Amino acid sequence: EWCAERGIPVTASPPPLPGPATRLRFTEDMKGFVSFGEHDFARGYRDGRRSRQDLMFHLTIDIRGVDRFILDPRLEAEARGYIRSEALGGRLPVERGRFNLFVDRGDRRHQQMLYRLWFRDGTGRPLTLTGFKTIRDHAGWDLWSDTTTLYIRVLRGHVEPEDDERAEVVASGILRILLPDFVRQLTT
C-alpha cells in the first residue's frame, strides 16, 4: 500500500532493530563449588565446598551489536574460554558458548542472564554447563548479589535449551564473581 499524501509505502511491519554498529567484549571469572549427582543448587554448593569440589570458568563475552542485544533478549552473545574442574579433568576448553542478557521470564521485575557452555571432560565425554543469574527489581540494594551469583548445572551431553529437563544432571552448584576478579573484569 502507498500513503498517497506523502508518496511513500506504508508497511505493517515494525521498524528494523538497529544494526550491529557497536561491539562490547568483557572477560568474566566465576568461581564456586559443585556436588556431583546433586540437583539442588544450594546443597550442591554447600556439599561441594565441604568436599573441595571446586569449579570455575574464565569467559570472554563478545556482544556484537549492543543496541540490538539489549533490545532483543533472544539474541545471544558468544562466550569463549575455559572451565576448570579437577574432578572433570582439569582445564577444559569451551567448544561453544552462548550468553543472553536480561531474558524476561514473564515478570518484568524478574529477569535472567543465561549461560550455556558446551565442553568435554578429561576423557572426551560431552557436557553442557547451564547457568542463570536472576535479577530482581525490589527494595534494597541487592544488584551486586544478583549480578555476581550464577546457579549452575552440568548436564551429560551437548544439550540444547529445549532438552534441559530431560538431560541427566551430572552436578549442581553456585559460582560467584569475587571482588578482586570483578575489579580485574572492569579493566577488560
Side-chain angles (χ1 to χ4, degrees), residues 1-145:
E1 291 179 40
W2 284 84
C3 176
E5 300 151 4
R6 297 193 180 167
I8 56 173
V10 175
T11 176
S13 301
L17 291 172
T22 56
R23 185 173 185 179
L24 172 66
R25 269 193 302 223
F26 62 92
T27 300
E28 182 174 59
D29 287 334
M30 298 198 77
K31 300 170 182 170
F33 297 94
V34 297
S35 182
F36 291 86
E38 180 59 60
H39 289 243
D40 182 77
F41 302 111
R43 196 172 315 128
Y45 175 83
R46 193 173 48 252
D47 293 349
R49 185 174 182 177
R50 193 176 2 222
S51 62
R52 300 187 195 283
Q53 297 292 330
D54 60 324
L55 187 144
M56 66 86 63
F57 65 60
H58 174 88
L59 295 177
T60 297
I61 308 291
D62 190 0
I63 302 170
R64 295 178 182 161
V66 175
D67 295 339
R68 288 183 58 137
F69 189 76
I70 291 170
L71 291 172
D72 187 352
R74 295 169 297 178
L75 292 179
E76 297 176 326
E78 181 181 8
R80 294 182 314 275
Y82 63 87
I83 295 167
R84 189 172 60 226
S85 165
E86 293 309 314
L88 291 173
R91 183 176 164 156
L92 309 162
V94 172
E95 295 177 11
R96 187 171 136 215
R98 298 286 174 240
F99 170 76
N100 296 87
L101 180 67
F102 300 135
V103 175
D104 184 355
R105 294 294 193 189
D107 180 352
R108 302 269 315 146
R109 294 173 300 143
H110 295 94
Q111 296 183 338
Q112 292 186 324
M113 295 181 191
L114 305 177
Y115 294 71
R116 182 167 300 272
L117 309 174
W118 289 270
F119 67 106
R120 293 180 188 275
D121 69 12
T123 64
R125 290 180 294 207
L127 297 169
T128 302
L129 184 148
T130 64
F132 65 91
K133 296 177 183 177
T134 299
I135 314 303
R136 295 175 187 89
D137 181 18
H138 55 344
W141 196 83
D142 60 351
L143 186 60
W144 171 258
S145 175

